[in-house]
Amino acid sequence: MTDLVRRHSAWCQSAVLMVVGLVVFWPSVNFDFVNWDDPAYIEYNDLIKSWSFSNLKGIATEVVTRNYAPVTIFTFLLEHTFWGMKPAGYHATNVLLHIANSILVFILVRRLSGRDFIGLFTAALFLVHPVQIESVVWISSRKGLLCSLFMLSALIVRMKPTPEPRDDARYFIFLALALFSKAHAIVLPPIVLLYDMLIRRQSFSQAMPRHVIPAFMSLLLLLMTMGAQNTVLGGVRGHMSLGLLQIIAVDVTILWQYIGMLLYPTDLCVMYDPPTSGIWVQVVVGSIGWAAVAMGLWKIRKSHPLWILGAVSFLLLLFPMLNFFRITTLMNDRYLYLPCIITFAMAGAAIDRALAVTEERAISILSFFRLLAKGLIGPAIVALCCFLTMEHLPVWKNPQTLWTHALSQYPDMPILRIQNALTVYDNGRIEEAITLMSRALEECKPDELDRERMTEMVTQWKSQLEAAPSIAKRPVETNSH
């Protein structure tokens, strides 16, 4: 295949991704804001209300909802200028960013694998898989979409057999933009370092000098973000007192749950509450499973270095969310936004290898059926994911649908009870909100912090009901990352 034909094919495949992405996710443009960080980022965020010098300075220097993300907040300033408090514009931007990311995934995986099928299969699954819904339709997940856009761009310009100085310069720029969108980009320098060592076959001493500046940039951002994580409100906290070995044990089971979510994406939820005790059987079985995976990868480390790079990158991309640095969420769908690329690429490579067609000119019957299977399996998997995504998408239509669905799966999780009561309160049904919160205090066994918070809300709402003035809404404190 000539370069011209290959470029034309790439354009056509990118156009297909764009159309599919619009068909699947464009209905979310009609969705509302949800009371899960959206008020803090948009409705009550004075920094995005005008282009004053003080606001621009604040965007560049201040932390918003425990994240230093000036690029993300600047995009909200731009959007507020155009459509104010209309959620449609913000949702549309998220959809377009996700489609752009899928095209970047196609370019990156196609280049690394050298196979069109693997690149398109990976990008299509990345685009329409149900686990991506939270990242796309939740407006507050903008930081993850932007960070991913710049991380993927950085990998594309830098992951080359012989990167030139100008490639390093563009890589620095994209890395900086990614870091200023979300601190998750701190994992990018070690991934690129691994690429230099595993794929370009450089020694550590040869590769490391080019990574000093990116590592320094990432360290500065990490320190700034760690200083901003100063609250434990929201989420779940049962794991916060666990020791390091206990956290590792829990992570062993969570990693397998993530793989299960990618292979069988049902029962998705805005929040999860995985068990942290009484799980020794799952930990033992899970550890044996991961040991088997590690042994398999070790055997192919020389013949398939890309698989080693992918496996380590999967862990690196998830590492900030594995609670070695404690956060109040153990699991979230959005944590798989980039790691899923590796899983999908490996699945595509396995399908491509299993159904490889001989290069003989006279196609045999066996080769014909292999070609037919290859042409059907990939689209069938993608079509199934499209169906599941479009079926689950309305869960995020508004706060009421979101928390009703979440409570159907975890009826006794305090944070879900709190958010559901807040939704009722925001709709002006104060008496019902008081009833819901009081019932939650009795039924769901909140810890001390949640109990204090819930009691304070009930007291405040009762006072408002007695005074009967106009009710002032306030931003909802959450702890999403």
Side-chain angles (χ1 to χ4, degrees):
M1 185 182 295
T2 64
D3 290 341
L4 181 61
V5 173
R6 206 156 186 260
R7 282 198 297 270
H8 178 73
S9 174
W11 279 105
C12 292
Q13 291 165 329
S14 298
V16 169
L17 291 172
M18 183 178 297
V19 172
V20 172
L22 289 173
V23 169
V24 172
F25 282 107
W26 197 252
S28 68
V29 171
N30 297 314
F31 291 3
D32 202 351
F33 296 111
V34 296
N35 57 349
W36 189 242
D37 277 1
D38 284 356
Y41 273 115
I42 309 296
E43 187 174 359
Y44 298 101
N45 186 3
D46 292 334
L47 293 176
I48 69 170
K49 300 299 174 64
S50 75
W51 289 76
S52 67
F53 176 77
S54 61
N55 277 5
L56 292 175
K57 180 183 177 181
I59 290 173
T61 59
E62 293 181 17
V63 169
V64 178
T65 66
R66 298 160 307 284
N67 287 279
Y68 177 66
V71 171
T72 298
I73 305 304
F74 183 74
T75 66
F76 288 143
L77 171 65
L78 285 171
E79 290 179 282
H80 190 274
T81 302
F82 286 106
W83 33 77
M85 290 305 302
K86 297 176 181 177
Y90 301 89
H91 281 300
T93 302
N94 273 21
V95 172
L96 295 177
L97 282 171
H98 179 57
I99 292 172
N101 285 340
S102 72
I103 294 173
L104 293 177
V105 169
F106 169 61
I107 295 170
L108 178 64
V109 176
R110 180 173 178 257
R111 177 196 292 173
L112 291 175
S113 67
R115 305 286 291 180
D116 285 1
F117 171 80
I118 299 175
L120 185 60
F121 178 81
T122 303
L125 272 186
F126 170 86
L127 176 66
V128 302
H129 196 281
V131 83
Q132 306 290 53
I133 292 174
E134 180 179 8
S135 295
V136 181
V137 305
W138 183 34
I139 292 172
S140 294
S141 194
R142 170 70 57 79
K143 54 188 178 291
L145 294 173
L146 280 172
C147 180
S148 299
L149 178 79
F150 296 126
M151 286 178 70
L152 291 167
S153 299
L155 292 173
I156 289 172
V157 301
R158 181 58 176 75
M159 282 186 166
K160 296 179 178 179
T162 53
E164 300 177 359
R166 64 179 181 180
D167 296 319
D168 282 326
R170 284 183 286 186
Y171 166 59
F172 295 159
I173 293 172
F174 284 129
L175 173 60
L177 290 170
L179 289 168
F180 290 146
S181 300
K182 187 179 181 182
H184 187 211
I186 61 172
V187 303
L188 192 58
I191 291 174
V192 178
L193 175 62
L194 278 171
Y195 173 83
D196 286 346
M197 295 176 64
L198 293 173
I199 309 303
R200 298 182 63 217
R201 302 293 185 181
Q202 289 188 322
S203 65
F204 180 80
S205 60
Q206 291 174 316
M208 189 57 201
R210 302 180 78 161
H211 297 276
V212 172
I213 295 177
F216 181 71
M217 293 165 57
S218 300
L219 179 61
L220 287 178
L221 210 289
L222 175 63
L223 293 174
M224 183 175 293
T225 301
M226 288 177 64
Q229 302 299 321
N230 55 6
T231 180
V232 291
L233 285 176
V236 294
R237 286 183 294 276
H239 61 286
M240 299 292 279
S241 61
L242 298 182
L244 178 59
L245 290 179
Q246 292 172 303
I247 283 294
I248 293 173
V250 172
D251 287 341
V252 166
T253 64
I254 287 177
L255 288 172
W256 278 118
Q257 290 182 63
Y258 278 145
I259 298 297
M261 289 165 61
L262 294 176
L263 297 178
Y264 190 69
T266 59
D267 299 326
L268 301 179
C269 191
V270 62
M271 287 285 293
Y272 299 93
D273 191 15
T276 58
S277 61
I279 57 173
W280 67 269
V281 174
Q282 297 95 309
V283 172
V284 171
V285 174
S287 299
I288 293 173
W290 287 122
V293 171
M295 288 177 61
L297 290 171
W298 179 258
K299 288 183 179 180
I300 63 171
R301 66 189 185 281
K302 293 183 179 179
S303 58
H304 294 78
L306 271 177
W307 283 66
I308 308 302
L309 175 64
V312 178
S313 297
F314 181 86
L315 291 175
L316 284 172
L317 288 166
L318 278 172
F319 183 81
M321 285 78 74
L322 291 178
N323 266 276
F324 295 105
F325 307 101
R326 299 305 163 86
I327 54 180
T328 58
T329 47
L330 275 170
M331 288 181 62
N332 279 118
D333 294 352
R334 63 185 178 274
Y335 294 166
L336 286 172
Y337 188 73
L338 287 181
C340 73
I341 297 171
I342 291 114
T343 305
F344 298 154
M346 288 181 172
I351 294 172
D352 188 59
R353 183 175 180 82
L355 301 176
V357 180
T358 59
E359 295 181 357
E360 298 175 355
R361 292 190 176 184
I363 301 179
S364 65
I365 295 297
L366 179 60
S367 296
F368 171 77
F369 281 111
R370 284 176 176 171
L371 181 61
L372 182 64
K374 187 175 180 179
L376 293 177
I377 290 177
I381 294 173
V382 172
L384 176 60
C385 285
C386 285
F387 171 77
L388 293 174
T389 294
M390 296 176 78
E391 184 180 49
H392 186 72
L393 202 66
V395 165
W396 284 82
K397 185 175 182 179
N398 56 50
Q400 183 175 347
T401 57
L402 180 63
W403 303 117
T404 300
H405 173 267
L407 282 170
S408 70
Q409 300 203 50
Y410 298 98
D412 296 324
M413 191 186 296
I415 184 61
L416 300 184
R417 293 286 197 102
I418 292 172
Q419 292 303 125
N420 185 54
L422 282 167
T423 300
V424 173
Y425 167 76
D426 287 342
N427 288 331
R429 307 198 305 272
I430 307 177
E431 290 187 19
E432 184 180 347
I434 293 171
T435 300
L436 289 173
M437 195 72 83
S438 300
R439 190 183 301 163
L441 279 164
E442 297 175 1
E443 297 175 352
C444 66
K445 298 179 181 179
D447 63 18
E448 184 178 347
L449 283 174
D450 275 338
R451 180 171 294 278
E452 180 181 345
R453 181 186 179 201
M454 295 162 77
T455 302
E456 180 183 348
M457 288 180 179
V458 170
T459 302
Q460 179 184 347
W461 294 348
K462 286 181 177 179
S463 299
Q464 291 176 348
L465 195 61
E466 292 171 359
S470 59
I471 300 169
K473 296 180 182 179
R474 62 182 178 80
V476 179
E477 184 80 24
T478 69
N479 197 51
S480 58
H481 297 265

